[in-house]
Amino acid sequence: MVPVLFSGEVLGVPVEVRAYGTFLVLAAVVSLAVGVAGARRAGFPPGRIAAIYLGAIVAGLAGARFLDVALQQDAYAAAPQAAAALAPRGFALYGGLGAAIVIVATAIAVGARRGMPAPGVTAAAAFGRLADSAVPAVVAGIVLLRIGCFLNGCCTGVATDLPVGMAFPAGPSAATSFLGIETAEAPVHPTQLYEMAAAVLCGLNRLWGTGLSLESLMELGARLGSDVPALMSGGAVLMEGRGERVRPLACRWTAGMAWWLVVVNPGFGVPTGDVYSRYRTGLTSFAEIFKNASFALEKGDIDLASACLRNSLEEPVFRKYPLLGLLAERLKAAGALGVLLSGSGASLFALARTEEQARAVEECVRCGTGPWLWTRVAQVLPDGVIGSTRPFGG
């Protein structure tokens, strides 16, 4: 890819223009312009909306940094100056999104009391109208951001030998951005392009008023990539077939409920095609277990979920890579509620009831191993989001 767009001297001063930072700024500028134009067509005063959106961008950056600091307190304690750094890293998406929505919603509520966009329009109706008008801006922002990620070689998917796989330069590729290991240009899923495709399909559907249902959009998305439908649905989902059949899960977890994971990777990848070539049985032969697993996810029953963990690919993977089988047994012996191979490997994950239990399992499985073993403790929330107090990369 092209992580550096320009490197040289300008008037005798060394200058380096990086793709990610360039497209991050471009996304902000274009999204602001498109958003203001859409708001004007929806009847909002463009000057006031521009001010609101600029305030939302600033608040979003502050909120994203604040959440990142809260999630990685140890890292920032060791380097407190990083909290004020302007580098395009160290931001947590949901903190920024939440802060921006609060600013916009508050400004619109105040404006509605003063007759914006029109007298008699409630704050809720005004916010909904503005949100609809902002869809093209959001799509433009996502597309430009993901172009930056694609050029930078970051935020990619897991290793694959499918035709859609792309080889990124060794460094900040799939494994370093998500698993913390280097793949030396191994082909990976270009999930930046998948997310772009999902955003464009949803945005065009809304912009052109085609009226396509989410199911129709996901069917179109499946032709672009098996991961696209899940990205279009969002949240916790069940994926069937090759991943193109997606059903959202209505998770009814009580307040404060969360599951803890210990993610383990041995430092090498497993070719997907080779694993499937060694598998001789049907992949979906656990109907009752599948039903119970769905129920466990919806209710937040971690004990039932642990009992339902099944992956038909474990047998051929563990047969060829016995180290993975040994790591799975070690995780179980350490007290994990359940252990499973993730996809075709090589990562494994273990379920734990509390953070303390997860930390103990992590410490136990690392004991006696070398630096080649990568581990992370993460939290699974009911909307399907995974959060970690340490970065997944590095």
Side-chain angles (χ1 to χ4, degrees):
M1 299 302 106
V2 190
V4 179
L5 299 178
F6 173 80
S7 181
E9 291 189 358
V10 178
L11 300 178
V13 179
V15 175
E16 183 179 78
V17 180
R18 299 194 65 85
Y20 184 79
T22 300
F23 278 89
L24 180 65
V25 173
L26 190 60
V29 172
V30 172
S31 295
L32 179 62
V34 175
V36 170
R40 181 176 56 191
R41 288 193 297 270
F44 291 89
R48 190 174 299 180
I49 292 301
I52 291 174
Y53 279 169
L54 282 172
I57 290 174
V58 173
L61 291 173
R65 176 58 57 81
F66 178 81
L67 182 57
D68 194 64
V69 171
L71 291 174
Q72 303 186 54
Q73 296 180 30
D74 293 342
Y76 282 97
Q81 71 279 4
L86 297 178
R89 62 177 65 88
F91 295 97
L93 171 63
Y94 288 94
L97 184 62
I101 290 175
V102 168
I103 292 297
V104 173
T106 301
I108 291 300
V110 173
R113 287 198 293 268
R114 299 177 180 177
M116 185 184 75
V121 177
T122 65
F127 183 80
R129 186 185 298 186
L130 183 65
D132 283 345
S133 73
V135 169
V138 173
V139 171
I142 291 176
V143 169
L144 289 170
L145 279 172
R146 288 317 181 196
I147 290 175
C149 291
F150 182 76
L151 293 176
N152 192 49
C154 63
C155 303
T156 62
V158 296
T160 180
D161 55 3
L162 295 176
V164 296
M166 301 188 68
F168 290 80
S173 58
T176 52
S177 60
F178 185 69
L179 297 176
I181 58 174
E182 299 216 356
T183 56
E185 303 186 3
V188 295
H189 282 286
T191 47
Q192 320 100 318
L193 304 185
Y194 296 163
E195 186 173 345
M196 285 172 55
V200 170
L201 283 174
C202 292
L204 291 179
N205 181 54
R206 182 68 187 83
L207 182 64
W208 292 341
T210 60
L212 291 175
S213 64
L214 179 60
E215 290 73 19
S216 299
L217 288 173
M218 288 194 293
E219 183 178 346
L220 289 173
R223 301 177 187 176
L224 301 175
S226 296
D227 293 335
V228 174
L231 292 171
M232 299 178 74
S233 175
V237 298
L238 288 176
M239 301 172 66
E240 300 178 77
R242 57 181 174 84
E244 80 283 5
R245 299 202 303 273
V246 175
R247 177 163 63 89
L249 278 176
C251 295
R252 293 180 289 274
W253 293 19
T254 58
M257 183 181 293
W259 296 355
W260 288 89
L261 294 178
V262 180
V263 187
V264 176
N265 187 279
F268 59 81
V270 173
T272 304
D274 179 61
V275 172
Y276 276 93
S277 69
R278 296 169 182 273
Y279 189 76
R280 299 289 183 265
T281 313
L283 292 177
T284 52
S285 57
F286 306 111
E288 190 63 27
I289 292 175
F290 183 82
K291 178 181 177 181
N292 290 337
S294 302
F295 180 82
L297 290 171
E298 291 177 345
K299 298 296 183 182
D301 189 336
I302 191 171
D303 293 304
L304 179 58
S306 300
C308 294
L309 293 179
R310 293 290 186 280
N311 185 346
S312 301
L313 298 179
E314 281 192 341
E315 191 274 330
V317 171
F318 289 173
R319 187 171 64 247
K320 183 171 182 181
Y321 303 93
L323 174 61
L324 296 179
L326 292 174
L327 286 174
E329 292 301 321
R330 192 162 189 170
L331 286 166
K332 294 175 184 176
L337 299 179
V339 179
L340 195 68
L341 180 74
S342 178
S344 59
S347 295
L348 301 113
F349 68 87
L351 283 174
R353 197 180 309 278
T354 64
E355 181 179 6
E356 292 72 21
Q357 183 185 18
R359 298 286 178 197
V361 170
E362 180 189 34
E363 182 178 353
C364 183
V365 77
R366 289 192 66 87
C367 182
T369 60
W372 50 268
L373 185 65
W374 179 93
T375 64
R376 280 294 184 275
V377 170
Q379 187 180 32
V380 180
L381 304 178
D383 58 359
V385 176
I386 296 179
S388 174
T389 55
R390 295 159 62 198
F392 272 102

